[in-house]
Amino acid sequence: KIDIVHWSEDVAALVVSALAPAEIQKVIIDDHSRRIEVILNEENLSKAIGRRGQNVRLASKLIDFEIDILTEKEESEKRQIEFKDKTEIFIKNLEVDETLGQLLVAEGFSSIEEIDKSKPEEISKIEGIDENTSKELKERANEYLIKEKENIEKKLKDLGVDDNLINYKGLTPGMLLTLGEKKITTLKDFAELSTDELIGVYDEKKGVKFKVEGYLEEFALTKNEADDLIINARNIVFK
């Protein structure tokens, strides 16, 4: 069988064509991580996924993006969880009340780093936040990041993470901490990993598709970024 897919430079239009005849409600594209969330109703779920995941797998190869299929209910639940998680991070680490935490998330702030990098006047433009509050938020964000850096450095030392891995370009402190907890403590350990071990992969057993979690999956590395990190590490270790 041959599927004819109408080409388009618009990635959203292309993924809709690639997953036809399933009717797509919404497409959310993350260019950085090269992932696409496809939102549809329950009736179109099996059409989009296909037998043994064939449709979505082929569509993913065609457009060179990872595709996540979500029902409208799943997408709504996911957004609610993300909103709650981000709010709780601000409440806990910046010592703000729930209303202010929710306001920051609603205005597009998703991390303490973003608040630290923003100018006070940018934050004070938000209705309900005055100039003094914006300066206080900046100071608390900066203090938190300094303490967090010190804590991570201590944890890396306690985990026995080697300096060569710590100083390897491309790995963030959070990534290093995650690797250390997985007993990956040297640059050689890292170089011996596969891309799938880093970012995760979908596998299939007896016709059932399941997800194998990657060590650094939460950091949304693209496949190309993961490939480059591993190849460069191998060039250093095995040259």
Side-chain angles (χ1 to χ4, degrees):
K1 294 182 179 180
I2 298 176
D3 283 342
I4 306 298
V5 178
H6 290 287
W7 169 257
S8 173
E9 292 184 357
D10 183 340
V11 176
L14 183 57
V15 74
V16 169
S17 295
L19 291 174
E23 296 181 8
I24 310 302
Q25 304 296 319
K26 183 165 57 174
V27 175
I28 301 172
I29 301 172
D30 185 342
D31 287 311
H32 172 71
S33 62
R34 296 194 70 79
R35 299 188 78 93
I36 295 177
E37 287 185 355
V38 173
I39 318 303
L40 36 65
N41 56 37
E42 291 278 358
E43 290 74 21
N44 286 280
L45 186 61
S46 60
K47 293 179 184 177
I49 295 175
R51 188 167 179 266
R52 297 183 178 178
Q54 178 175 282
N55 289 2
V56 68
R57 187 168 61 251
L58 292 176
S60 179
K61 289 183 178 180
L62 178 68
I63 62 178
D64 195 26
F65 273 73
E66 289 292 330
I67 300 175
D68 298 318
I69 305 290
L70 299 173
T71 63
E72 293 169 305
K73 181 181 179 182
E74 288 172 334
E75 194 239 354
S76 177
E77 291 173 347
K78 180 179 180 182
R79 300 295 170 232
Q80 290 176 24
I81 292 171
E82 288 177 347
F83 189 92
K84 181 181 178 182
D85 288 346
K86 291 174 184 177
T87 299
E88 288 179 349
I89 287 173
F90 292 144
I91 292 172
K92 177 182 177 182
N93 300 307
L94 298 183
E95 298 181 1
V96 299
D97 60 27
E98 185 175 6
T99 301
L100 182 50
Q102 290 177 342
L103 182 57
L104 290 168
V105 178
E107 291 294 327
F109 288 100
S110 59
S111 69
I112 294 175
E113 286 83 359
E114 289 180 5
I115 293 177
D116 181 57
K117 292 177 182 178
S118 298
K119 296 178 180 178
E121 54 267 29
E122 292 175 338
I123 301 174
S124 61
K125 286 179 182 178
I126 300 173
E127 186 176 352
I129 298 181
D130 58 27
E131 187 176 341
N132 289 333
T133 302
S134 67
K135 288 180 179 178
E136 181 66 21
L137 285 170
K138 283 272 297 175
E139 289 174 5
R140 292 185 186 184
N142 184 255
E143 289 173 2
Y144 167 80
L145 292 174
I146 290 173
K147 289 180 181 178
E148 183 68 6
K149 182 181 178 183
E150 291 173 351
N151 289 336
I152 288 177
E153 288 175 351
K154 182 179 183 304
K155 287 178 181 177
L156 291 175
K157 184 177 180 180
D158 292 342
L159 288 168
V161 178
D162 187 78
D163 285 343
N164 288 330
L165 184 59
I166 292 174
N167 296 324
Y168 182 59
K169 187 177 179 181
L171 295 177
T172 66
M175 292 178 185
L176 290 166
L177 190 57
T178 299
L179 291 170
E181 290 170 347
K182 300 294 184 181
K183 309 300 182 185
I184 300 164
T185 58
T186 69
L187 191 58
K188 184 175 184 293
D189 292 338
F190 183 79
E192 291 175 342
L193 295 176
S194 68
T195 299
D196 289 345
E197 287 178 298
L198 274 192
I199 62 175
V201 65
Y202 282 98
D203 205 347
E204 189 175 306
K205 188 174 182 179
K206 296 182 178 179
V208 178
K209 190 178 182 184
F210 62 95
K211 183 73 187 307
V212 179
E213 299 294 332
Y215 293 141
L216 300 183
E217 187 166 341
E218 64 179 296
F219 299 96
L221 287 170
T222 66
K223 184 178 184 303
N224 287 339
E225 288 171 337
D227 285 342
D228 288 343
L229 282 171
I230 291 173
I231 291 171
N232 291 337
R234 289 174 181 174
N235 287 338
I236 294 171
V237 173
F238 304 117
K239 63 180 180 181

